[in-house]
Amino acid sequence: MNPERKGNGNEFNGLKGHRLDQIPVLHCRGTHRMVGYTVGRQFKSIIGDLISNWIFFNRILIPSYETPIGKEIYDKTLKLCSRKFPQYVDELEGIAEGSDQPFYKLFLLHLESIIASPAAEDVLWETKLNTGCTSLLCNMDEVLIGHTEDTCPEFLNNVFVVAAEILGEHGETLEKFTTLTYAGHLPGYTMGFNSAGLVYSINTLYPNRTYAEGTPRTFLTRAILGSTNLETALRILRDEGTGTSDGFSINITFAKQEGGSVLHNVEVAPPIQNDVLESELSVLTLTHGDFHAHCNKYLRLSIPDLPGIAGYSSTQRHKAIGRYLKPTSIEKVKEILSDETDEEYPIFRTGGKPDYIVTVAVGIFDVGNRKWYIYTNSPAKSQPVAILFMDF
């Protein structure tokens, strides 16, 4: 049956909101602001669609911003980011200019729990607190990082890949990276690689206490795209003098390092002690033969998780992963990341109750062969929509 045409013939009834088997890839070069402007201009309609239709943004973040406390937090955080990461504020201003969106709306996308308390008893917060991804780290004969990018349904078809070379004022290369990117957001809080051999993925974590004076985690993960080794990455994550505002973990390797392949999972949490202003970190190192899975709850740091479906979903996903033998090949990683045996809390998520969250992309990094396989459908049942060569 053909879709029904309506309006001017360019729209098809029933296709909006369906999972599309596509991933736009934008190659761009320029200063931070110029790259931001290019991204905003190229994906103007996608960014506008998200800003208009994301219920959490319009019914939670905007009203929170419009309160006196919300505006105070916004102003303090913008001042902090402008001092610590002026280049990324400049980049975000470029995205706003290119997409014809007010800057404050795009900056709000990076605040979330800083400006709106996740403890609020609201069904929209419950939905937002379900979000989170599944990552698999396999340091076998094949060195693999597999990752599901799971988020609110409004982001379905509203993600894209940015392959950027950031230039300095004299034309020198400052950063060169390729990363999956959310509409309206700075690159970084997803998965990707850079020219120094960094390969990474991010898991959102939910500590029961956030830090309103801290650095937005999305700015820290944007800075990670410029890291050249583990020491640099850990220094960025530690964020001495401030610390992260909220929790996350990063799965990371540097493929150009000498010796055998080493993978790491780093759990990151806001400062626990008021007199120690830096992120809490726990680093797990995987050498040859090791396997590790991480979802959206703390596994090593003694940080209480915020009660919610994300924690329960993580437990169920870890149980599902535990039913498989240690994966040693891409095919096995594809099988695990496609698992839907738990109909309520599957690994590959389709937006059904009570989970509501959607897997908008799956990435599998074949580190040894320098290939990044990207899927928008279940990887065990589909072909990759893109295979990107990791040119480091």
Side-chain angles (χ1 to χ4, degrees), residues 224-246:
I224 285 291
L225 291 174
S227 60
T228 56
N229 52 50
L230 182 64
E231 181 182 0
T232 304
L234 293 178
R235 185 170 65 249
I236 291 168
L237 297 173
R238 191 169 289 111
D239 193 33
E240 186 176 349
T242 307
T244 182
S245 63
D246 208 343

Side-chain angles (χ1 to χ4, degrees), residues 316-325 339-342 347:
Q316 298 305 104
R317 282 179 276 149
H318 275 289
K319 287 181 180 179
I321 294 167
R323 289 193 285 268
Y324 290 88
L325 296 174
D339 190 282
E340 298 181 52
T341 53
D342 189 319
I347 294 175

Side-chain angles (χ1 to χ4, degrees), residues 78-96:
L78 179 56
K79 184 177 180 180
L80 172 69
C81 292
S82 298
R83 176 175 59 83
K84 298 189 71 169
F85 299 108
Q87 69 274 36
Y88 303 140
V89 173
D90 205 32
E91 194 169 290
L92 189 60
E93 287 176 344
I95 297 174

Side-chain angles (χ1 to χ4, degrees), residues 102-117:
F103 172 79
Y104 84 91
K105 287 190 175 183
L106 299 195
F107 191 66
L108 274 177
L109 293 175
H110 299 73
L111 302 189
E112 294 190 356
S113 59
I114 303 177
I115 202 167
S117 170

